[in-house]
Amino acid sequence: MQFLTLVAVLLLMSAAVYRMGRGRAQVLAGTEARSLHSLPSYYGYYVALWCGIPALLLIVGWLSLEPFILRSLVVDALPTEAKALSPARLSLLMNEVRQLAASGDFRFSSGPVASAAAEQYRGLRATSFGAMTVLALSLAVGGAVYGMRAISPKLRARNRVESAVKVFLVASSTLAIFTTIGIVLSLLFESLLFFQKVPLTDFLFGLNWSPQTAMRADQVGASGSFGAVPLFAGTLLISVIAMFVAVPIGLLSAIYMAEYAHPKFRSIAKPLLEVLAGIPTVVYGFFAVLAVAPFLRSIGQSVGISIASESAMATGIVMGVMIIPFISSLSDDVICAVPDSLRHGAYGLGATRSETIKQVVIPAALPGIIGGILLAVSRAIGETMIVVMAAGLSAHLTANPFASVTTVTVQIVTLLVGDQEFDSPKTLSAFALGLVLFVVTLALNVVALHVVRKYREKYD
Amino acid sequence: MTTASESQSRPGDQGINVAKVTANDVNVYYGDKHALKGVNLAIQANEVTALIGPSGCGKSTFLRCINRMNDLIEGARVTGTITLDRQNIYDRDLDVVQLRARVGMVFQKPNPFPKSIYDNVAYGPRLHGLAHSAADLEEVVITSLERAGLYAEVKDRLDEPGTGLSGGQQQRLCIARAIAVSPEVILMDEPCSALDPIATAKVEELIDELRENFTIVIVTHSMQQAARVSQRTAFFHLGELIEVGNTEQIFTNPQHKLTQGYITGRFG
Ligand SMILES: Nc1ncnc2c1ncn2[C@@H]1O[C@H](COP(=O)(O)OP(=O)(O)OP(=O)(O)O)[C@@H](O)[C@H]1O
Ligand SMILES: [Mg+2]
């Protein structure tokens, strides 16, 4: 609460200072508006930025350092026997201290040591907050004064504001990039831990996946085996089935839409098809489990094939339906981007419409279409919800589309659902699987985007 | 139309026996817009006929009537008759696809297919089954490229993409592609507007040679080009055919004051 108030005060100050800066610039300009370098409002922004930004930066820096400093102060002040605790226990104790300090209710304290530390922690935090408030406010005032004094007709306020905007934008995009890098690094780090316990070759080439490890040392059996090939194979099988459904239907509907359909029909049908892309994947999951799988089973019974109720076929078909709009929409775009001059060239030589499409338009659009398909494949490989609901859980190495298989994403989910021990190979294997998934889809996306971009260049 | 028939060489009635293509009272409407108004024009075999006139006067529209490319334009409607060797090409039972094999077209912007140079030229012959063997096809491709004056430049890279050629080469490739089908008439819509003077000179030379075997209709914005390559010139203005005659006569002694104004550069 206090913190929010502080930020609100800073924002109000900036707003007030904006008016002051603008007013001062107007006074300076007098009647001769051209004598100022920039519009008066830019001077206002300039001063407001000086008032707000340094103070906010201070707050951000302070808050990110505070926990570490407070922790070391409190740990220093602990009695010696508490200091001698193992690092894990010490961090448990500190967790408790922080919680006690936050709630302010010491009734559930585990002992006097914790209570005393919590008391100290509270005190330190209050001091710290006070100091931060004072510093931030004085920085804001100082910045505002500096900004106001800098105002003169020669000051290039507009350019300064422009560079501030640029810095802000750069900072935002850097943040996004660093978040991605952070995610990848944590994935990598946990995977390395996993590969210390299970050799990389066992993981990549092993044919047996049963991640149940013994929870207690005295438990028998279940030593765990982490050969991920059955998962890769299952993912591949389902993706291939999905592509067999999605590529022909998506491509043909794109061709119809782009080349044959009346513009009026197209303007209705295209958005309708794209609605398919907006359906939550959970709903596709229902559809797979409740409609497609039983339907396939009953067909299988009538022709005498045994089809598992969690067959790769049912899952793949539904996933394919989910991917249709991707392929059709991307292909439609690239087909429309094929210049009419090529079509006219073919017609002018006496080609019929379908000949023109088959021999000129599609070959011209092919790189773009392939790029779209690759993007769709990476969607299929990463798709989770449908397979969690409709595909199996146990890993079989099979190429039979009517058998039940499991996928990389399903295993990640099952490995991480429920209570976990964060250093067991079972849990860590999820990160290794995630890393593989990431690398594969990244590669697919890079190739696809490259292909699509090359194609764009050719016709722009 | 009175003005057109006033000019010395009367379109439509003169030399009906030798005219390759005749247009009789051709009107074209784009929706409500009346783009071409009662055009009568006879195009002689083995001649180059130039269509000139200010922008938007209907030159391309008329050209597209001759191979029915206007069929592809939404809302375009053509009335009147156009005959090719005395057969009305707007007849119900005429096969448009076959018509376009007989009347080839070269476009303003070179538009080679994203295929190899060889496949570009081979496209038409393959489409119409003109070659009976691979050797046959190769011969057709090579002679077409030779006639288009491109063979020497590309003979070592026939399997490279046609889109990788220079603009002038691409345009000559498109001409080779058009003549590979052995059409009787070749329509060219400003074929040199995207080319530099040297490439233009090459294409013009080529047009002059092609005249021996084909009937050529060319739209151009360049008076000099019309004077250099054509034997007959037709002047269009606001959708009407104003005057048609021998090129020399049109450029030295135009009958109509609109023609006079246009070729001396007073308007358009
Ligand atoms: N697809 C179309 N839809 C509607 N109107 C059209 C279409 N094509 C041409 N027109 C109109 O018909 C008239 C004749 O056009 P056309 O393209 O034949 O002119 P042009 O003589 O070839 O001109 P330019 O020298 O600029 O190429 C113009 O007024 C044009 O606006
Ligand atoms: Mg034109």
Side-chain angles (χ1 to χ4, degrees), chain A residues 341-342 344 347-350 359, chain B residues 72 97 100 111-112 115 123 128:
Chain A
S341 66
L342 286 184
H344 290 166
Y347 289 136
L349 287 170
Q359 295 157 356
Chain B
L72 303 174
V97 166
R100 294 198 189 127
N111 57 351
K115 301 172 185 286
Y123 182 80
H128 301 291

Side-chain angles (χ1 to χ4, degrees), chain A residues 328-396:
Chain A
S328 80
S329 166
L330 281 169
S331 311
D332 182 83
D333 288 348
V334 287
I335 289 175
C336 287
V338 172
D340 265 346
S341 66
L342 286 184
R343 294 187 183 86
H344 290 166
Y347 289 136
L349 287 170
T352 62
R353 188 183 275 214
S354 71
E355 283 165 348
T356 303
I357 292 169
K358 201 169 74 204
Q359 295 157 356
V360 175
V361 178
I362 297 297
L366 200 60
I369 292 174
I370 289 176
I373 291 176
L374 289 184
L375 282 181
V377 170
S378 84
R379 264 295 290 234
I381 291 177
E383 170 51 38
T384 307
M385 208 59 220
I386 296 177
V387 283
V388 166
M389 294 174 76
L393 286 181
S394 54
H396 304 295

Side-chain angles (χ1 to χ4, degrees), chain B residues 8-201:
Chain B
Q8 277 178 339
S9 49
R10 290 156 168 266
D13 57 25
Q14 183 223 39
I16 222 159
N17 299 323
V18 282
K20 182 78 186 167
V21 177
T22 20
N24 286 314
D25 194 25
V26 172
N27 289 280
V28 179
Y29 304 84
Y30 293 115
D32 293 337
K33 186 176 165 57
H34 196 173
L36 214 53
K37 300 168 188 160
V39 172
N40 291 293
L41 182 63
I43 291 163
Q44 311 298 324
N46 300 95
E47 270 191 357
V48 178
T49 304
L51 309 183
I52 60 170
S55 192
C57 66
K59 306 179 295 291
S60 302
T61 301
F62 180 69
L63 204 65
R64 285 199 298 263
C65 289
I66 305 177
N67 66 347
R68 290 188 53 179
M69 287 295 267
N70 281 329
D71 294 11
L72 303 174
I73 296 174
E74 191 100 359
R77 194 157 54 82
V78 182
T79 67
T81 56
I82 294 184
T83 60
L84 173 65
D85 289 338
R86 303 217 198 152
Q87 187 200 8
N88 183 7
I89 63 169
Y90 281 88
D91 248 4
R92 269 248 175 113
D93 50 354
L94 180 118
D95 181 1
V96 183
V97 166
Q98 240 153 28
L99 169 72
R100 294 198 189 127
R102 291 175 64 194
V103 183
M105 188 160 196
V106 176
F107 298 81
Q108 178 167 0
K109 232 181 91 204
N111 57 351
F113 301 136
K115 301 172 185 286
S116 71
I117 294 174
Y118 186 93
D119 287 340
N120 259 284
V121 184
Y123 182 80
R126 279 185 183 139
L127 196 62
H128 301 291
L130 299 183
H132 302 294
S133 65
D136 249 10
L137 184 64
E138 186 164 346
E139 171 147 3
V140 171
V141 170
I142 291 176
T143 33
S144 306
L145 282 170
E146 269 168 353
R147 278 161 109 180
L150 189 62
Y151 187 63
E153 287 161 66
V154 300
K155 64 173 184 290
D156 301 324
R157 44 178 180 146
L158 289 178
D159 51 356
E160 282 174 33
T163 41
L165 296 173
S166 77
Q169 290 173 326
Q170 286 188 14
Q171 193 60 300
R172 278 180 285 149
L173 178 62
C174 292
I175 294 175
R177 187 176 71 185
I179 57 187
V181 200
S182 325
E184 298 156 38
V185 181
I186 301 179
L187 311 174
M188 300 185 171
D189 195 347
E190 303 182 42
C192 301
S193 66
L195 306 186
D196 71 62
I198 295 172
T200 302

Side-chain angles (χ1 to χ4, degrees), chain B residues 239-256:
Chain B
E240 286 181 63
L241 175 61
I242 303 295
E243 185 170 353
V244 54
N246 287 330
T247 298
E248 209 179 299
Q249 177 250 316
I250 292 274
F251 279 98
T252 53
N253 184 21
Q255 301 297 300
H256 199 285

Side-chain angles (χ1 to χ4, degrees), chain A residues 124-404:
Chain A
L124 281 174
R125 229 184 35 187
T127 323
S128 155
F129 185 79
M132 180 179 78
T133 308
V134 170
L135 261 180
L137 287 179
S138 40
L139 250 187
V141 172
V145 170
Y146 173 83
M148 287 298 279
R149 295 184 63 169
I151 291 181
S152 77
K154 284 222 179 58
L155 176 72
R156 302 188 172 177
R158 189 176 173 199
N159 308 21
R160 297 289 178 82
V161 171
E162 196 66 27
S163 11
V165 168
K166 193 172 126 199
V167 168
F168 187 69
L169 294 179
V170 169
S172 305
S173 50
T174 321
L175 197 66
I177 291 170
F178 275 108
T179 318
T180 317
I181 293 177
I183 292 174
V184 174
L185 283 184
S186 76
L187 211 54
L188 207 61
F189 181 72
E190 303 284 348
S191 306
L192 284 181
L193 286 182
F194 173 72
F195 290 129
Q196 280 166 4
K197 301 186 183 191
V198 177
L200 179 62
T201 46
D202 284 9
F203 174 72
L204 286 182
F205 305 114
L207 299 184
N208 188 12
W209 177 266
S210 59
Q212 271 58 44
T213 44
M215 290 294 249
R216 294 190 315 274
D218 56 345
Q219 243 171 349
V220 278
S223 61
S225 119
F226 295 93
V229 169
L231 309 190
F232 300 150
T235 304
L236 196 69
L237 182 61
I238 291 183
S239 304
V240 165
I241 295 172
M243 286 301 138
F244 267 106
V245 173
V247 170
I249 299 182
L251 199 55
L252 292 179
S253 69
I255 291 172
Y256 175 71
M257 237 34 125
E259 297 285 328
Y260 286 91
H262 192 272
K264 245 191 208 139
F265 175 79
R266 182 185 144 90
S267 68
I268 297 170
K270 202 177 175 209
L272 270 185
L273 199 58
E274 278 162 7
V275 163
L276 275 183
I279 297 177
T281 48
V282 160
V283 178
Y284 282 108
F286 287 152
F287 180 56
V289 176
L290 300 180
V292 177
F295 177 68
L296 278 184
R297 246 178 102 77
S298 65
I299 288 188
Q301 266 160 6
S302 60
V303 296
I305 313 174
S306 105
I307 298 182
S309 59
E310 299 184 320
S311 66
M313 192 52 120
T315 317
I317 288 175
V318 174
M319 195 192 277
V321 172
M322 179 196 84
I323 288 170
I324 288 172
F326 262 92
I327 295 191
S328 80
S329 166
L330 281 169
S331 311
D332 182 83
D333 288 348
V334 287
I335 289 175
C336 287
V338 172
D340 265 346
S341 66
L342 286 184
R343 294 187 183 86
H344 290 166
Y347 289 136
L349 287 170
T352 62
R353 188 183 275 214
S354 71
E355 283 165 348
T356 303
I357 292 169
K358 201 169 74 204
Q359 295 157 356
V360 175
V361 178
I362 297 297
L366 200 60
I369 292 174
I370 289 176
I373 291 176
L374 289 184
L375 282 181
V377 170
S378 84
R379 264 295 290 234
I381 291 177
E383 170 51 38
T384 307
M385 208 59 220
I386 296 177
V387 283
V388 166
M389 294 174 76
L393 286 181
S394 54
H396 304 295
L397 187 55
T398 171
N400 175 5
F402 301 120
S404 133

